[in-house]
PDB file of all heavy atoms in Angstrom:
ATOM      1  N   LEU I1324       0.855  -1.204  -0.003  1.00 97.00           N
ATOM      2  CA  LEU I1324      -0.038   0.021   0.031  1.00 97.00           C
ATOM      3  C   LEU I1324       0.855   1.255   0.007  1.00 97.00           C
ATOM      4  O   LEU I1324       1.726   1.377   0.939  1.00 97.00           O
ATOM      5  CB  LEU I1324      -0.974  -0.006   1.232  1.00 97.00           C
ATOM      6  CG  LEU I1324      -1.697   1.285   1.540  1.00 97.00           C
ATOM      7  CD1 LEU I1324      -2.587   1.712   0.449  1.00 97.00           C
ATOM      8  CD2 LEU I1324      -2.393   1.184   2.837  1.00 97.00           C
ATOM      9  N   LYS I1325       0.665   2.075  -1.012  1.00 96.00           N
ATOM     10  CA  LYS I1325       1.369   3.361  -1.093  1.00 96.00           C
ATOM     11  C   LYS I1325       0.406   4.479  -0.665  1.00 96.00           C
ATOM     12  O   LYS I1325      -0.775   4.428  -1.086  1.00 96.00           O
ATOM     13  CB  LYS I1325       1.912   3.624  -2.518  1.00 96.00           C
ATOM     14  CG  LYS I1325       2.880   2.605  -2.942  1.00 96.00           C
ATOM     15  CD  LYS I1325       3.526   3.061  -4.351  1.00 96.00           C
ATOM     16  CE  LYS I1325       4.610   2.074  -4.757  1.00 96.00           C
ATOM     17  NZ  LYS I1325       5.152   2.525  -6.092  1.00 96.00           N
ATOM     18  N   LEU I1326       0.859   5.487   0.104  1.00 96.00           N
ATOM     19  CA  LEU I1326       0.047   6.491   0.648  1.00 96.00           C
ATOM     20  C   LEU I1326       0.699   7.892   0.465  1.00 96.00           C
ATOM     21  O   LEU I1326       1.882   8.027   0.494  1.00 96.00           O
ATOM     22  CB  LEU I1326      -0.094   6.212   2.133  1.00 96.00           C
ATOM     23  CG  LEU I1326      -1.256   6.783   2.946  1.00 96.00           C
ATOM     24  CD1 LEU I1326      -2.593   6.231   2.383  1.00 96.00           C
ATOM     25  CD2 LEU I1326      -1.099   6.428   4.455  1.00 96.00           C
ATOM     26  N   ASN I1327      -0.130   8.868   0.198  1.00 94.00           N
ATOM     27  CA  ASN I1327       0.295  10.209   0.119  1.00 94.00           C
ATOM     28  C   ASN I1327      -0.732  11.211   0.406  1.00 94.00           C
ATOM     29  O   ASN I1327      -1.979  10.807   0.441  1.00 94.00           O
ATOM     30  CB  ASN I1327       0.885  10.507  -1.292  1.00 94.00           C
ATOM     31  CG  ASN I1327       1.723  11.769  -1.328  1.00 94.00           C
ATOM     32  OD1 ASN I1327       2.256  12.278  -0.342  1.00 94.00           O
ATOM     33  ND2 ASN I1327       1.963  12.263  -2.565  1.00 94.00           N
ATOM     34  N   SER I1328      -0.397  12.499   0.675  1.00 94.00           N
ATOM     35  CA  SER I1328      -1.436  13.505   0.827  1.00 94.00           C
ATOM     36  C   SER I1328      -1.235  14.563  -0.266  1.00 94.00           C
ATOM     37  O   SER I1328      -0.040  14.975  -0.486  1.00 94.00           O
ATOM     38  CB  SER I1328      -1.425  14.141   2.176  1.00 94.00           C
ATOM     39  OG  SER I1328      -2.308  15.277   2.240  1.00 94.00           O
ATOM     40  N   LEU I1329      -2.266  14.905  -0.955  1.00 89.00           N
ATOM     41  CA  LEU I1329      -2.127  15.917  -2.052  1.00 89.00           C
ATOM     42  C   LEU I1329      -2.452  17.334  -1.584  1.00 89.00           C
ATOM     43  O   LEU I1329      -2.495  18.251  -2.381  1.00 89.00           O
ATOM     44  CB  LEU I1329      -3.063  15.583  -3.195  1.00 89.00           C
ATOM     45  CG  LEU I1329      -2.906  14.146  -3.773  1.00 89.00           C
ATOM     46  CD1 LEU I1329      -3.904  13.870  -4.903  1.00 89.00           C
ATOM     47  CD2 LEU I1329      -1.453  13.863  -4.173  1.00 89.00           C
ATOM     48  N   GLY I1330      -2.731  17.440  -0.254  1.00 89.00           N
ATOM     49  CA  GLY I1330      -3.093  18.791   0.245  1.00 89.00           C
ATOM     50  C   GLY I1330      -4.378  19.293  -0.278  1.00 89.00           C
ATOM     51  O   GLY I1330      -5.227  18.538  -0.813  1.00 89.00           O
ATOM     52  N   ASP I1331      -4.767  20.529   0.046  1.00 88.00           N
ATOM     53  CA  ASP I1331      -6.032  21.108  -0.393  1.00 88.00           C
ATOM     54  C   ASP I1331      -5.737  22.524  -0.950  1.00 88.00           C
ATOM     55  O   ASP I1331      -4.656  22.901  -1.223  1.00 88.00           O
ATOM     56  CB  ASP I1331      -7.045  21.107   0.717  1.00 88.00           C
ATOM     57  CG  ASP I1331      -6.558  21.998   1.959  1.00 88.00           C
ATOM     58  OD1 ASP I1331      -5.555  22.707   1.873  1.00 88.00           O
ATOM     59  OD2 ASP I1331      -7.194  21.910   2.989  1.00 88.00           O
ATOM     60  N   SER I1332      -6.868  23.241  -1.079  1.00 83.00           N
ATOM     61  CA  SER I1332      -6.713  24.604  -1.718  1.00 83.00           C
ATOM     62  C   SER I1332      -5.934  25.580  -0.855  1.00 83.00           C
ATOM     63  O   SER I1332      -5.522  26.637  -1.326  1.00 83.00           O
ATOM     64  CB  SER I1332      -8.120  25.223  -1.913  1.00 83.00           C
ATOM     65  OG  SER I1332      -8.877  25.245  -0.788  1.00 83.00           O
ATOM     66  N   SER I1333      -5.660  25.211   0.412  1.00 86.00           N
ATOM     67  CA  SER I1333      -4.866  26.109   1.278  1.00 86.00           C
ATOM     68  C   SER I1333      -3.361  25.939   1.017  1.00 86.00           C
ATOM     69  O   SER I1333      -2.634  26.930   1.079  1.00 86.00           O
ATOM     70  CB  SER I1333      -5.212  25.837   2.773  1.00 86.00           C
ATOM     71  OG  SER I1333      -6.552  26.112   3.037  1.00 86.00           O
ATOM     72  N   CYS I1334      -2.995  24.641   0.825  1.00 86.00           N
ATOM     73  CA  CYS I1334      -1.522  24.415   0.717  1.00 86.00           C
ATOM     74  C   CYS I1334      -1.057  24.042  -0.716  1.00 86.00           C
ATOM     75  O   CYS I1334       0.155  24.166  -0.949  1.00 86.00           O
ATOM     76  CB  CYS I1334      -1.113  23.345   1.671  1.00 86.00           C
ATOM     77  SG  CYS I1334      -2.190  21.869   1.723  1.00 86.00           S
ATOM     78  N   MET I1335      -1.942  23.650  -1.576  1.00 82.00           N
ATOM     79  CA  MET I1335      -1.595  23.203  -2.861  1.00 82.00           C
ATOM     80  C   MET I1335      -0.935  24.354  -3.750  1.00 82.00           C
ATOM     81  O   MET I1335       0.057  24.145  -4.431  1.00 82.00           O
ATOM     82  CB  MET I1335      -2.756  22.579  -3.611  1.00 82.00           C
ATOM     83  CG  MET I1335      -2.415  22.178  -5.095  1.00 82.00           C
ATOM     84  SD  MET I1335      -1.067  21.114  -5.327  1.00 82.00           S
ATOM     85  CE  MET I1335      -1.800  19.564  -4.852  1.00 82.00           C
ATOM     86  N   PRO I1336      -1.488  25.574  -3.714  1.00 82.00           N
ATOM     87  CA  PRO I1336      -0.950  26.632  -4.580  1.00 82.00           C
ATOM     88  C   PRO I1336       0.481  26.898  -4.301  1.00 82.00           C
ATOM     89  O   PRO I1336       1.355  27.132  -5.225  1.00 82.00           O
ATOM     90  CB  PRO I1336      -1.864  27.849  -4.244  1.00 82.00           C
ATOM     91  CG  PRO I1336      -3.142  27.239  -3.852  1.00 82.00           C
ATOM     92  CD  PRO I1336      -2.802  26.014  -3.064  1.00 82.00           C
ATOM     93  N   GLN I1337       0.854  26.953  -3.004  1.00 84.00           N
ATOM     94  CA  GLN I1337       2.241  27.264  -2.679  1.00 84.00           C
ATOM     95  C   GLN I1337       3.148  26.143  -3.157  1.00 84.00           C
ATOM     96  O   GLN I1337       4.210  26.441  -3.680  1.00 84.00           O
ATOM     97  CB  GLN I1337       2.367  27.373  -1.129  1.00 84.00           C
ATOM     98  CG  GLN I1337       3.803  27.550  -0.674  1.00 84.00           C
ATOM     99  CD  GLN I1337       3.891  27.629   0.882  1.00 84.00           C
ATOM    100  OE1 GLN I1337       2.927  27.700   1.563  1.00 84.00           O
ATOM    101  NE2 GLN I1337       5.144  27.646   1.353  1.00 84.00           N
ATOM    102  N   TYR I1338       2.691  24.847  -3.051  1.00 85.00           N
ATOM    103  CA  TYR I1338       3.534  23.752  -3.539  1.00 85.00           C
ATOM    104  C   TYR I1338       3.633  23.795  -5.026  1.00 85.00           C
ATOM    105  O   TYR I1338       4.694  23.606  -5.565  1.00 85.00           O
ATOM    106  CB  TYR I1338       2.915  22.447  -3.082  1.00 85.00           C
ATOM    107  CG  TYR I1338       3.639  21.302  -3.781  1.00 85.00           C
ATOM    108  CD1 TYR I1338       4.936  20.903  -3.355  1.00 85.00           C
ATOM    109  CD2 TYR I1338       3.068  20.598  -4.886  1.00 85.00           C
ATOM    110  CE1 TYR I1338       5.643  19.892  -4.008  1.00 85.00           C
ATOM    111  CE2 TYR I1338       3.739  19.600  -5.476  1.00 85.00           C
ATOM    112  CZ  TYR I1338       5.023  19.239  -5.044  1.00 85.00           C
ATOM    113  OH  TYR I1338       5.690  18.253  -5.708  1.00 85.00           O
ATOM    114  N   ARG I1339       2.540  24.134  -5.672  1.00 84.00           N
ATOM    115  CA  ARG I1339       2.560  24.203  -7.119  1.00 84.00           C
ATOM    116  C   ARG I1339       3.518  25.262  -7.673  1.00 84.00           C
ATOM    117  O   ARG I1339       4.329  25.001  -8.651  1.00 84.00           O
ATOM    118  CB  ARG I1339       1.170  24.468  -7.684  1.00 84.00           C
ATOM    119  CG  ARG I1339       1.051  24.399  -9.244  1.00 84.00           C
ATOM    120  CD  ARG I1339      -0.309  24.811  -9.753  1.00 84.00           C
ATOM    121  NE  ARG I1339      -1.327  23.870  -9.393  1.00 84.00           N
ATOM    122  CZ  ARG I1339      -2.307  24.051  -8.502  1.00 84.00           C
ATOM    123  NH1 ARG I1339      -2.386  25.225  -7.910  1.00 84.00           N
ATOM    124  NH2 ARG I1339      -3.194  23.091  -8.266  1.00 84.00           N
ATOM    125  N   ASP I1340       3.557  26.334  -7.030  1.00 86.00           N
ATOM    126  CA  ASP I1340       4.562  27.394  -7.442  1.00 86.00           C
ATOM    127  C   ASP I1340       5.959  26.916  -7.267  1.00 86.00           C
ATOM    128  O   ASP I1340       6.804  27.177  -8.166  1.00 86.00           O
ATOM    129  CB  ASP I1340       4.347  28.634  -6.555  1.00 86.00           C
ATOM    130  CG  ASP I1340       3.026  29.333  -6.904  1.00 86.00           C
ATOM    131  OD1 ASP I1340       2.431  29.046  -7.928  1.00 86.00           O
ATOM    132  OD2 ASP I1340       2.575  30.151  -6.028  1.00 86.00           O
ATOM    133  N   GLY I1341       6.245  26.238  -6.143  1.00 86.00           N
ATOM    134  CA  GLY I1341       7.603  25.679  -5.960  1.00 86.00           C
ATOM    135  C   GLY I1341       7.964  24.664  -6.996  1.00 86.00           C
ATOM    136  O   GLY I1341       9.144  24.570  -7.421  1.00 86.00           O
ATOM    137  N   LEU I1342       7.002  23.765  -7.318  1.00 86.00           N
ATOM    138  CA  LEU I1342       7.261  22.740  -8.291  1.00 86.00           C
ATOM    139  C   LEU I1342       7.507  23.312  -9.730  1.00 86.00           C
ATOM    140  O   LEU I1342       8.417  22.858 -10.443  1.00 86.00           O
ATOM    141  CB  LEU I1342       6.040  21.718  -8.375  1.00 86.00           C
ATOM    142  CG  LEU I1342       6.221  20.639  -9.384  1.00 86.00           C
ATOM    143  CD1 LEU I1342       7.367  19.718  -9.063  1.00 86.00           C
ATOM    144  CD2 LEU I1342       4.845  19.741  -9.341  1.00 86.00           C
ATOM    145  N   VAL I1343       6.685  24.354 -10.058  1.00 87.00           N
ATOM    146  CA  VAL I1343       6.853  24.963 -11.390  1.00 87.00           C
ATOM    147  C   VAL I1343       8.218  25.598 -11.467  1.00 87.00           C
ATOM    148  O   VAL I1343       8.919  25.523 -12.502  1.00 87.00           O
ATOM    149  CB  VAL I1343       5.757  25.925 -11.631  1.00 87.00           C
ATOM    150  CG1 VAL I1343       6.044  26.852 -12.864  1.00 87.00           C
ATOM    151  CG2 VAL I1343       4.420  25.369 -11.838  1.00 87.00           C
ATOM    152  N   SER I1344       8.726  26.208 -10.456  1.00 89.00           N
ATOM    153  CA  SER I1344      10.038  26.801 -10.446  1.00 89.00           C
ATOM    154  C   SER I1344      11.070  25.784 -10.632  1.00 89.00           C
ATOM    155  O   SER I1344      12.025  25.947 -11.433  1.00 89.00           O
ATOM    156  CB  SER I1344      10.297  27.490  -9.112  1.00 89.00           C
ATOM    157  OG  SER I1344       9.388  28.655  -8.906  1.00 89.00           O
ATOM    158  N   PHE I1345      10.943  24.596 -10.057  1.00 87.00           N
ATOM    159  CA  PHE I1345      11.871  23.495 -10.198  1.00 87.00           C
ATOM    160  C   PHE I1345      11.847  23.093 -11.629  1.00 87.00           C
ATOM    161  O   PHE I1345      12.898  22.793 -12.269  1.00 87.00           O
ATOM    162  CB  PHE I1345      11.454  22.353  -9.279  1.00 87.00           C
ATOM    163  CG  PHE I1345      12.277  21.127  -9.447  1.00 87.00           C
ATOM    164  CD1 PHE I1345      13.479  20.923  -8.863  1.00 87.00           C
ATOM    165  CD2 PHE I1345      11.796  20.025 -10.358  1.00 87.00           C
ATOM    166  CE1 PHE I1345      14.278  19.742  -9.024  1.00 87.00           C
ATOM    167  CE2 PHE I1345      12.548  18.916 -10.516  1.00 87.00           C
ATOM    168  CZ  PHE I1345      13.791  18.772  -9.819  1.00 87.00           C
ATOM    169  N   LEU I1346      10.657  22.923 -12.236  1.00 85.00           N
ATOM    170  CA  LEU I1346      10.521  22.471 -13.620  1.00 85.00           C
ATOM    171  C   LEU I1346      11.121  23.505 -14.567  1.00 85.00           C
ATOM    172  O   LEU I1346      11.726  23.113 -15.601  1.00 85.00           O
ATOM    173  CB  LEU I1346       9.061  22.232 -13.961  1.00 85.00           C
ATOM    174  CG  LEU I1346       8.396  21.067 -13.178  1.00 85.00           C
ATOM    175  CD1 LEU I1346       6.871  21.068 -13.507  1.00 85.00           C
ATOM    176  CD2 LEU I1346       9.028  19.714 -13.526  1.00 85.00           C
ATOM    177  N   ASP I1347      10.904  24.790 -14.292  1.00 85.00           N
ATOM    178  CA  ASP I1347      11.522  25.812 -15.121  1.00 85.00           C
ATOM    179  C   ASP I1347      13.100  25.597 -15.124  1.00 85.00           C
ATOM    180  O   ASP I1347      13.674  25.834 -16.131  1.00 85.00           O
ATOM    181  CB  ASP I1347      11.166  27.180 -14.652  1.00 85.00           C
ATOM    182  CG  ASP I1347       9.723  27.545 -14.982  1.00 85.00           C
ATOM    183  OD1 ASP I1347       9.188  26.872 -15.861  1.00 85.00           O
ATOM    184  OD2 ASP I1347       9.174  28.423 -14.338  1.00 85.00           O
ATOM    185  N   GLU I1348      13.695  25.375 -13.990  1.00 87.00           N
ATOM    186  CA  GLU I1348      15.100  25.199 -13.888  1.00 87.00           C
ATOM    187  C   GLU I1348      15.639  24.041 -14.754  1.00 87.00           C
ATOM    188  O   GLU I1348      16.771  24.008 -15.232  1.00 87.00           O
ATOM    189  CB  GLU I1348      15.519  25.029 -12.416  1.00 87.00           C
ATOM    190  CG  GLU I1348      15.290  26.266 -11.582  1.00 87.00           C
ATOM    191  CD  GLU I1348      15.644  25.991 -10.080  1.00 87.00           C
ATOM    192  OE1 GLU I1348      16.196  24.858  -9.821  1.00 87.00           O
ATOM    193  OE2 GLU I1348      15.306  26.820  -9.260  1.00 87.00           O
ATOM    194  N   HIS I1349      14.720  23.096 -14.926  1.00 85.00           N
ATOM    195  CA  HIS I1349      15.128  21.777 -15.603  1.00 85.00           C
ATOM    196  C   HIS I1349      14.341  21.616 -16.909  1.00 85.00           C
ATOM    197  O   HIS I1349      14.110  20.454 -17.326  1.00 85.00           O
ATOM    198  CB  HIS I1349      14.953  20.619 -14.734  1.00 85.00           C
ATOM    199  CG  HIS I1349      15.773  20.660 -13.441  1.00 85.00           C
ATOM    200  ND1 HIS I1349      17.064  20.176 -13.304  1.00 85.00           N
ATOM    201  CD2 HIS I1349      15.449  21.170 -12.170  1.00 85.00           C
ATOM    202  CE1 HIS I1349      17.521  20.453 -12.179  1.00 85.00           C
ATOM    203  NE2 HIS I1349      16.580  20.914 -11.376  1.00 85.00           N
ATOM    204  N   HIS I1350      13.970  22.709 -17.466  1.00 83.00           N
ATOM    205  CA  HIS I1350      13.043  22.677 -18.617  1.00 83.00           C
ATOM    206  C   HIS I1350      13.591  21.772 -19.753  1.00 83.00           C
ATOM    207  O   HIS I1350      12.844  21.049 -20.359  1.00 83.00           O
ATOM    208  CB  HIS I1350      12.757  24.085 -19.145  1.00 83.00           C
ATOM    209  CG  HIS I1350      11.872  24.125 -20.415  1.00 83.00           C
ATOM    210  ND1 HIS I1350      10.479  24.115 -20.215  1.00 83.00           N
ATOM    211  CD2 HIS I1350      12.137  24.201 -21.693  1.00 83.00           C
ATOM    212  CE1 HIS I1350       9.939  24.101 -21.472  1.00 83.00           C
ATOM    213  NE2 HIS I1350      10.981  24.160 -22.342  1.00 83.00           N
ATOM    214  N   ASP I1351      14.853  21.888 -20.019  1.00 82.00           N
ATOM    215  CA  ASP I1351      15.481  21.166 -21.188  1.00 82.00           C
ATOM    216  C   ASP I1351      15.658  19.669 -20.804  1.00 82.00           C
ATOM    217  O   ASP I1351      16.084  18.873 -21.699  1.00 82.00           O
ATOM    218  CB  ASP I1351      16.803  21.718 -21.469  1.00 82.00           C
ATOM    219  CG  ASP I1351      16.752  23.146 -22.057  1.00 82.00           C
ATOM    220  OD1 ASP I1351      15.623  23.448 -22.588  1.00 82.00           O
ATOM    221  OD2 ASP I1351      17.678  23.921 -21.954  1.00 82.00           O
ATOM    222  N   GLU I1352      15.382  19.252 -19.545  1.00 85.00           N
ATOM    223  CA  GLU I1352      15.674  17.843 -19.150  1.00 85.00           C
ATOM    224  C   GLU I1352      14.415  17.025 -19.020  1.00 85.00           C
ATOM    225  O   GLU I1352      14.441  15.758 -18.942  1.00 85.00           O
ATOM    226  CB  GLU I1352      16.360  17.872 -17.795  1.00 85.00           C
ATOM    227  CG  GLU I1352      17.672  18.551 -17.791  1.00 85.00           C
ATOM    228  CD  GLU I1352      18.262  18.656 -16.389  1.00 85.00           C
ATOM    229  OE1 GLU I1352      18.546  17.596 -15.731  1.00 85.00           O
ATOM    230  OE2 GLU I1352      18.418  19.778 -15.888  1.00 85.00           O
ATOM    231  N   ILE I1353      13.219  17.684 -19.104  1.00 87.00           N
ATOM    232  CA  ILE I1353      11.955  16.946 -18.928  1.00 87.00           C
ATOM    233  C   ILE I1353      11.394  16.612 -20.295  1.00 87.00           C
ATOM    234  O   ILE I1353      11.677  17.253 -21.310  1.00 87.00           O
ATOM    235  CB  ILE I1353      10.916  17.778 -18.103  1.00 87.00           C
ATOM    236  CG1 ILE I1353      10.617  19.078 -18.749  1.00 87.00           C
ATOM    237  CG2 ILE I1353      11.557  17.984 -16.721  1.00 87.00           C
ATOM    238  CD1 ILE I1353       9.565  19.912 -17.991  1.00 87.00           C
ATOM    239  N   CYS I1354      10.540  15.562 -20.351  1.00 90.00           N
ATOM    240  CA  CYS I1354       9.962  15.075 -21.599  1.00 90.00           C
ATOM    241  C   CYS I1354       8.891  16.012 -22.040  1.00 90.00           C
ATOM    242  O   CYS I1354       8.420  16.922 -21.356  1.00 90.00           O
ATOM    243  CB  CYS I1354       9.441  13.694 -21.432  1.00 90.00           C
ATOM    244  SG  CYS I1354       7.958  13.613 -20.366  1.00 90.00           S
ATOM    245  N   GLU I1355       8.396  15.825 -23.349  1.00 85.00           N
ATOM    246  CA  GLU I1355       7.412  16.706 -23.909  1.00 85.00           C
ATOM    247  C   GLU I1355       6.116  16.691 -23.142  1.00 85.00           C
ATOM    248  O   GLU I1355       5.407  17.649 -22.976  1.00 85.00           O
ATOM    249  CB  GLU I1355       7.175  16.268 -25.358  1.00 85.00           C
ATOM    250  CG  GLU I1355       8.395  16.556 -26.273  1.00 85.00           C
ATOM    251  CD  GLU I1355       8.032  16.248 -27.741  1.00 85.00           C
ATOM    252  OE1 GLU I1355       6.818  15.933 -28.077  1.00 85.00           O
ATOM    253  OE2 GLU I1355       8.883  16.288 -28.637  1.00 85.00           O
ATOM    254  N   ASP I1356       5.725  15.425 -22.653  1.00 83.00           N
ATOM    255  CA  ASP I1356       4.509  15.431 -21.869  1.00 83.00           C
ATOM    256  C   ASP I1356       4.546  16.237 -20.608  1.00 83.00           C
ATOM    257  O   ASP I1356       3.618  16.895 -20.122  1.00 83.00           O
ATOM    258  CB  ASP I1356       4.221  13.928 -21.451  1.00 83.00           C
ATOM    259  CG  ASP I1356       3.582  13.123 -22.639  1.00 83.00           C
ATOM    260  OD1 ASP I1356       3.015  13.783 -23.502  1.00 83.00           O
ATOM    261  OD2 ASP I1356       3.690  11.911 -22.637  1.00 83.00           O
ATOM    262  N   CYS I1357       5.733  16.205 -19.943  1.00 88.00           N
ATOM    263  CA  CYS I1357       5.882  16.994 -18.726  1.00 88.00           C
ATOM    264  C   CYS I1357       5.886  18.485 -19.053  1.00 88.00           C
ATOM    265  O   CYS I1357       5.502  19.310 -18.219  1.00 88.00           O
ATOM    266  CB  CYS I1357       7.178  16.608 -17.983  1.00 88.00           C
ATOM    267  SG  CYS I1357       6.965  14.979 -17.087  1.00 88.00           S
ATOM    268  N   VAL I1358       6.448  18.898 -20.226  1.00 85.00           N
ATOM    269  CA  VAL I1358       6.377  20.311 -20.595  1.00 85.00           C
ATOM    270  C   VAL I1358       4.935  20.726 -20.688  1.00 85.00           C
ATOM    271  O   VAL I1358       4.545  21.799 -20.266  1.00 85.00           O
ATOM    272  CB  VAL I1358       7.103  20.499 -21.896  1.00 85.00           C
ATOM    273  CG1 VAL I1358       6.852  21.923 -22.399  1.00 85.00           C
ATOM    274  CG2 VAL I1358       8.562  20.341 -21.721  1.00 85.00           C
ATOM    275  N   ARG I1359       4.114  19.859 -21.327  1.00 83.00           N
ATOM    276  CA  ARG I1359       2.700  20.160 -21.491  1.00 83.00           C
ATOM    277  C   ARG I1359       2.021  20.200 -20.067  1.00 83.00           C
ATOM    278  O   ARG I1359       1.180  21.098 -19.859  1.00 83.00           O
ATOM    279  CB  ARG I1359       2.025  19.050 -22.361  1.00 83.00           C
ATOM    280  CG  ARG I1359       0.524  19.221 -22.496  1.00 83.00           C
ATOM    281  CD  ARG I1359      -0.035  18.137 -23.460  1.00 83.00           C
ATOM    282  NE  ARG I1359       0.323  16.813 -23.075  1.00 83.00           N
ATOM    283  CZ  ARG I1359      -0.318  16.107 -22.115  1.00 83.00           C
ATOM    284  NH1 ARG I1359      -1.316  16.614 -21.467  1.00 83.00           N
ATOM    285  NH2 ARG I1359       0.042  14.860 -21.807  1.00 83.00           N
ATOM    286  N   ARG I1360       2.328  19.218 -19.269  1.00 82.00           N
ATOM    287  CA  ARG I1360       1.638  19.157 -17.977  1.00 82.00           C
ATOM    288  C   ARG I1360       2.021  20.355 -17.103  1.00 82.00           C
ATOM    289  O   ARG I1360       1.218  20.824 -16.251  1.00 82.00           O
ATOM    290  CB  ARG I1360       2.101  17.866 -17.188  1.00 82.00           C
ATOM    291  CG  ARG I1360       1.461  16.555 -17.800  1.00 82.00           C
ATOM    292  CD  ARG I1360       2.178  15.360 -17.346  1.00 82.00           C
ATOM    293  NE  ARG I1360       1.619  14.148 -17.873  1.00 82.00           N
ATOM    294  CZ  ARG I1360       2.304  13.045 -18.032  1.00 82.00           C
ATOM    295  NH1 ARG I1360       3.578  12.969 -17.641  1.00 82.00           N
ATOM    296  NH2 ARG I1360       1.712  11.924 -18.567  1.00 82.00           N
ATOM    297  N   LYS I1361       3.221  20.912 -17.212  1.00 82.00           N
ATOM    298  CA  LYS I1361       3.699  21.996 -16.418  1.00 82.00           C
ATOM    299  C   LYS I1361       2.707  23.192 -16.680  1.00 82.00           C
ATOM    300  O   LYS I1361       2.525  23.997 -15.682  1.00 82.00           O
ATOM    301  CB  LYS I1361       5.081  22.438 -16.818  1.00 82.00           C
ATOM    302  CG  LYS I1361       5.659  23.538 -15.920  1.00 82.00           C
ATOM    303  CD  LYS I1361       7.046  23.936 -16.462  1.00 82.00           C
ATOM    304  CE  LYS I1361       7.019  24.714 -17.722  1.00 82.00           C
ATOM    305  NZ  LYS I1361       8.302  25.432 -18.061  1.00 82.00           N
TER     306      LYS I1361
END
């Protein structure tokens, strides 16, 4: 059994911003699907 919490509208926006910044830093390393998902 794998378990995680995805947060809610209070904490997800802050996390999303941090993840997008990480993806921007590695834009040339991620696949086309991930570029679209970003």
Side-chain angles (χ1 to χ4, degrees):
L1324 168 60
K1325 295 183 177 182
L1326 200 63
N1327 196 19
S1328 175
L1329 306 181
D1331 61 12
S1332 57
S1333 297
C1334 46
M1335 174 58 77
Q1337 178 183 351
Y1338 172 74
R1339 185 184 292 113
D1340 290 344
L1342 180 61
V1343 169
S1344 295
F1345 175 86
L1346 295 173
D1347 286 340
E1348 293 176 9
H1349 299 275
H1350 180 83
D1351 295 336
E1352 301 172 61
I1353 61 179
C1354 69
E1355 291 184 7
D1356 280 340
C1357 285
V1358 171
R1359 173 178 56 83
R1360 290 166 180 154
K1361 185 184 73 168

